[in-house]
Amino acid sequence: MVPDQLSEVFDLVEVRGQMTGGFAARGPWGSRAVIDTPLKFMAMVRGRARLTTDGAAEPIELGPGDVAILNNRSWLELEGGTGDGPRREIAPEPGFPSPRLVAAHDGTDDVLVGGRVDLNPAGRALLTQALPPLGHVRSSAAVAADLRGCLDRLFHEATGHRMGSAFAIRQYAQLLVLELLRAYVDQAELPPGWLRLLTDERLRPALSLMHGDPAKPWGLEQLARAAAMSRTSFAERFRTVAGVPPLTYLSRWRMLLARRALRDGDVRVGSLAVQLGYGSESAFSTAFKREVGESPLRYRHRTRHEPPADEVPLARLDGQGTSHQGLV
């Protein structure tokens, strides 16, 4: 079986898709709002709209089934609709599904739904650096078929008054985030970082070794041999794709595993050091503090006694360096 490294990373950074609202509108309309979550998405269920946000070179045109990903943006503006008459300002109702969304008229109303992607602090650092300020996933692409199907099923649950719909919506929101990233990876040219690394077939064998046995003292020679490349070619390709050298990636991967173990388990720091390939507890503690900014014991105490929002920024696998809730 091919190692499922994307699922592994998703579990580590605790990816959670949450639907936050939506609206239906008929005739010319417009809407504007502040964004206060780092990662937001807007999906056009039916109709068409133009989306504008800060930092984008130009608006994007959303068609049926299209999804926009907004990464650390502070506001967004949408306008759409056809027909005569003045443009009506839409104030989206909070919650999902809202009464106006449930009452949407098939065939005449423009329908949009929105949500956010919740992650732990390490995940926010990883995913926000792997995505552009504004991403556009087009439903017309063949690779987006599963995304379109997931969006249709989500909307059907939101408007169908079916038993268990709240549970189903939560599950579909999770799948929607996964399908959104799958479709985006297939449509876009990714910047250097972990998401691009996970899609690189040439480097996958080496990545599988590091993920499968992170405690082993992997050297460039072994990793390059697994990828059937020379040591120099491997090192150059890895840095180009991941944004960091292979052994730096391995160290940061270990730190992700360490944070999960400290946050969720009761393993002793000395035992954790051995599990992750460090020669001593002090060597592990030094590496952890260098990456995370605090000692392992301090990190464990803080993450168990303070709200998640108080987490300090964490190191990123790709080495690249405002809280935003969106329109809907």
Side-chain angles (χ1 to χ4, degrees):
M1 181 176 179
V2 176
D4 188 359
Q5 290 147 355
L6 181 59
S7 292
E8 187 178 17
V9 173
F10 268 32
D11 287 339
L12 274 176
V13 303
E14 300 174 303
V15 173
R16 298 289 183 271
Q18 300 284 341
M19 303 307 299
T20 56
F23 65 84
R26 195 176 311 170
W29 58 268
S31 191
R32 179 185 172 93
V34 170
I35 303 175
D36 61 5
T37 190
L39 278 172
K40 180 164 188 61
F41 58 88
M42 298 292 302
M44 196 86 206
V45 181
R46 293 197 296 265
R48 296 185 176 277
R50 175 180 291 112
L51 185 150
T52 307
T53 188
D54 55 312
E58 56 187 17
I60 61 173
E61 301 288 339
L62 295 175
D66 285 8
V67 183
I69 311 169
L70 296 106
N71 178 10
N72 275 328
R73 301 301 88 202
S74 60
W75 58 267
L76 69 84
E77 187 174 80
L78 287 156
E79 57 180 20
T82 59
D84 299 328
R87 191 178 78 164
R88 182 163 56 101
E89 290 298 319
I90 299 292
E93 299 169 312
F96 186 90
S98 66
R100 194 162 56 196
L101 186 64
V102 172
H105 189 276
D106 191 12
T108 59
D109 289 358
D110 293 330
V111 179
L112 290 101
V113 297
R116 68 176 187 267
V117 183
D118 292 337
L119 311 102
N120 64 27
R124 287 198 295 271
L126 286 172
L127 199 51
T128 56
Q129 291 299 326
L131 296 170
L134 177 61
H136 184 189
V137 179
R138 295 173 173 82
S139 65
S140 57
V143 294
D146 289 335
L147 174 62
R148 292 194 301 273
C150 186
L151 182 59
D152 288 341
R153 290 190 293 272
L154 174 66
F155 187 69
H156 178 63
E157 289 291 343
T159 59
H161 306 288
R162 303 176 68 196
M163 182 174 61
S165 61
F167 178 82
I169 287 169
R170 290 194 296 271
Q171 309 313 309
Y172 281 128
Q174 290 288 86
L175 289 174
L176 186 65
V177 171
L178 174 60
E179 295 297 350
L180 178 58
L181 286 178
R182 283 172 169 171
Y184 183 76
V185 164
D186 285 332
Q187 290 186 31
E189 183 175 347
L190 297 171
W194 70 275
L195 194 55
R196 182 174 168 186
L197 177 62
L198 294 182
T199 66
D200 192 290
E201 295 292 338
R202 291 287 305 278
L203 297 176
R204 178 174 291 174
L207 196 63
S208 296
L209 292 181
M210 289 189 279
H211 282 215
D213 190 359
K216 188 169 181 176
W218 297 107
L220 277 180
E221 195 70 41
Q222 295 167 294
L223 297 173
R225 190 181 309 118
M229 301 171 70
S230 71
R231 176 172 168 163
T232 300
S233 297
F234 171 77
E236 290 177 352
R237 183 181 182 93
F238 198 100
R239 179 187 283 273
T240 298
V241 172
V244 295
L247 300 187
T248 300
Y249 177 90
L250 175 60
S251 175
R252 291 175 176 170
W253 177 249
R254 289 170 172 169
M255 291 300 104
L256 265 183
L257 297 173
R259 287 194 284 269
R260 179 176 64 177
L262 291 166
R263 187 176 64 246
D264 301 337
D266 295 316
V267 63
R268 295 174 60 86
V269 173
S271 298
L272 184 58
V274 173
Q275 292 173 20
L276 294 177
Y278 290 88
S280 66
E281 181 176 334
S282 62
F284 167 72
S285 296
T286 299
F288 189 92
K289 188 171 184 178
R290 182 172 58 247
E291 289 294 319
V292 180
E294 57 188 334
S295 71
L297 289 178
R298 169 59 185 157
Y299 176 83
R300 167 178 276 166
H301 176 80
R302 183 174 55 75
T303 55
R304 294 188 178 189
H305 293 88
E306 294 180 4
D310 292 334
E311 289 267 22
V312 295
L314 299 178
R316 296 163 291 254
L317 285 183
D318 55 18
Q320 303 179 42
T322 20
S323 172
H324 297 298
Q325 175 107 359
L327 176 68
V328 293

